[in-house]
Amino acid sequence: MRRSILILLVALAAGLSLAPAASTAVKIRVVATIPDLKALTEEIGGTLVDVESLARGTQNAHELEIRPSLMLKLRRADVLIENGLELDAWAEVPVQGANNPKIVRGAPGRVDVSRGVPLLDVPSTRVDRSMGDVHPQGNPHYSLDPGMAPIITKNIVDGLSRFAPESRAAFEKNRQVFLERLDEAMARWARAMEPHKGAKVVVYHPQWIYFLNRFGLSQAAALEDRPGIPASPAHLTRVIRQMKEEQIKVIIVEPWNDLKLATRVADEAGAKAVVLASMVGGVKGADAYIAAIDHNVNALAQALR
Ligand SMILES: [Zn+2]
C-alpha cells in the first residue's frame, strides 16, 4: 500500500515536472518567404521558433517555382514572414492552396516586414507591367542593407508577439543582443568600405542599391535593360562604353544570374565580375545574416582594390 502511494507520488511529481518542459518545447512554426527573413527571425525567435524558408539563397527571389512542398510548409505555419513590395508575391498561390486561416492576408500571423522601410527606386510614373518590370512598387531588396535590420527585426518582434504575446520580452531581448552584434559588425564594414566611398559599380540585377547607398557607393548601370528584363546587345554595348568612360572596375553578379555574360562584359570593359550573396545562403559561408553581409563587404572591397 505504502509502496503504491510512493509510486503514485513519484509519477505525479514526474508529471508535474514534465508539464512545463513539454509546453515550452512547442515552438512557434514560422515560414519566411526568403532566407534573409528566416535568418533574422531565428535571431529574434531563438529557441522559441522553428523557421523554414520557401526560397533558397541561390534562387532568384522574384521567380519561385510553386511546388506542393511550399504549400505543405504553409499549411502548418503559425506565422508567415514576407518581404512585400511584390518580391514574394508568388507566395499568394501556395498560401491560398494551404487553406490556413492564420496566415492569409490580413490575419495576425501574416507579417510584412517592409513596414517603415524608407524605399528607394520608387517609380515616379506608372510601371508598365506588361513589359515584365519586377520592381513596380520601388526596389524590394532592402534586406541586403544591414542598416535596415533594426526596422525589419522590429517588425518581426511585433509579428511574433501577436502570436505569442507572453514571449515579447524574450523577443525584445534577443533583438537587443543581435543589434549589438550588428553594430560591431557595422563598424567593421564601414572601415572596410571607407576607401571605396564614391566608387561607381555596375550590377546585373538592380538589387544592390540599398547596400551600395549604405556605404557611400553608387550604381552606375545595370546589365538588365530594366528590372527583370534580359540584357539586349545594344544595351550591353552602351554599358561597356560607359564603364570605360567612367573607369568602373566592378560588376556585381547574383548567384542565380548569368556569370558568363557578366564576365564577358567585364573583360571588354577592363573590369571584373564578382558574385555576391544576393540572399543568405547565396554563396558558401554566407549562412547567417551577418556572415552574408561579411562576405559581400569583403568580396566587394577586394574587387575594388
Ligand atoms: Zn529585383
Side-chain angles (χ1 to χ4, degrees), residues 52-293:
E52 291 186 282
S53 173
L54 297 180
R56 289 194 307 277
T58 50
Q59 288 178 308
N60 174 1
H62 282 291
E63 293 173 10
L64 212 69
E65 196 193 334
I66 305 302
R67 283 164 296 124
S69 60
L70 303 187
M71 217 178 287
L72 289 177
K73 286 178 183 174
L74 290 164
R75 189 161 290 166
R76 299 181 303 126
D78 298 314
V79 175
L80 171 60
I81 310 265
E82 64 182 343
N83 184 87
L85 303 168
E86 297 202 9
L87 177 74
D88 41 11
W90 42 260
E92 209 45 50
V93 174
V95 164
Q96 293 302 324
N99 196 23
N100 175 354
K102 285 191 261 188
I103 56 162
V104 294
R105 188 158 302 288
R110 186 73 171 256
V111 184
D112 181 340
V113 296
S114 69
R115 197 186 52 187
V117 170
L119 298 180
L120 299 173
D121 289 346
V122 179
S124 51
T125 54
R126 235 183 126 67
V127 171
D128 181 0
R129 276 192 237 190
S130 64
M131 306 291 282
D133 198 328
V134 294
H135 294 174
Q137 298 181 12
N139 195 302
H141 303 286
Y142 54 84
S143 67
L144 281 164
D145 169 11
M148 297 299 177
I151 300 176
I152 299 170
T153 52
K154 169 77 170 64
N155 289 332
I156 292 173
V157 167
D158 289 345
L160 293 179
S161 300
R162 279 202 299 271
F163 183 80
E166 70 283 2
S167 298
R168 180 180 270 278
F171 300 143
E172 303 264 19
K173 184 157 178 278
N174 289 344
R175 178 172 179 263
Q176 284 315 317
V177 170
F178 172 69
L179 292 183
E180 276 164 33
R181 276 173 50 221
L182 188 79
D183 272 352
E184 284 170 24
M186 193 68 111
R188 178 170 84 232
W189 297 326
R191 272 198 307 279
M193 295 303 273
E194 178 64 32
H196 309 296
K197 259 193 179 156
K200 289 180 192 173
V201 300
V202 166
V203 301
Y204 203 127
H205 178 68
Q207 70 175 89
W208 302 95
I209 187 127
Y210 295 94
F211 173 78
L212 295 171
N213 262 22
R214 175 66 47 192
F215 299 109
L217 286 75
S218 67
Q219 172 190 314
L223 298 192
E224 289 181 354
D225 263 358
R226 283 188 307 289
I229 313 284
S232 66
H235 176 66
L236 290 181
T237 305
R238 279 195 299 275
V239 172
I240 291 166
R241 194 186 315 130
Q242 183 189 359
M243 289 181 72
K244 285 179 179 164
E245 279 169 11
E246 300 179 13
Q247 295 177 356
I248 293 167
K249 289 191 245 174
V250 169
I251 301 177
I252 297 177
V253 188
E254 303 75 28
W256 49 269
N257 237 327
D258 187 346
L259 180 59
K260 263 192 196 152
L261 176 68
T263 305
R264 215 160 60 223
V265 171
D267 284 348
E268 283 204 43
K272 57 186 114 157
V274 57
V275 177
L276 300 190
S278 50
M279 294 195 286
V280 170
V283 301
K284 224 173 165 206
D287 45 9
Y289 187 77
I290 289 178
I293 310 284

